[in-house]
Amino acid sequence: KVEFSVTEKKYISEHNEITVAVPKDDKPYYFIKNGEDKGIAVEFYKKIAEKTGFKFVFKSYSDYASATN
C-alpha cells in the first residue's frame, strides 16, 4: 500500500474516481470482452487501485486522437 498524508487521504476520499481515456478495441492494451474491460492497461490500473484506493473508470474513444483531446 501507498502511504498518504491526512490531506491526501481526504482528497482521495472526496475524488476517488478517475476516468481513463482509452482507444476502443486497442488489443492487447484495452478491449471489452463479455461486457467487461480487459487488457494490459486495465490490469495496470487495477494494480494502482490496489495500492492507492482510487477507482478507475474507462471511457473508450474511436481513436487515439479522440482519446487525448
Side-chain angles (χ1 to χ4, degrees):
K1 285 271 184 191
V2 175
E3 294 296 322
F4 293 105
S5 70
V6 172
T7 303
E8 291 167 331
K9 287 178 185 177
K10 182 178 184 302
Y11 181 88
I12 291 167
S13 71
E14 294 170 354
H15 306 90
N16 71 329
E17 188 172 287
I18 299 170
T19 301
V20 179
V22 292
K24 185 178 181 181
D25 296 323
D26 189 29
K27 289 182 181 178
Y29 304 103
Y30 176 82
F31 57 98
I32 297 175
K33 183 176 181 181
N34 298 327
E36 293 185 32
D37 297 315
K38 300 285 184 183
I40 295 168
V42 175
E43 294 304 314
F44 174 78
Y45 283 102
K46 279 183 185 177
K47 293 290 184 188
I48 294 172
E50 289 172 7
K51 299 198 178 291
T52 63
F54 287 120
K55 178 182 177 187
F56 294 98
V57 177
F58 296 91
K59 183 172 181 182
S60 62
Y61 291 87
S62 59
D63 55 37
Y64 280 102
S66 297
T68 58
N69 287 326

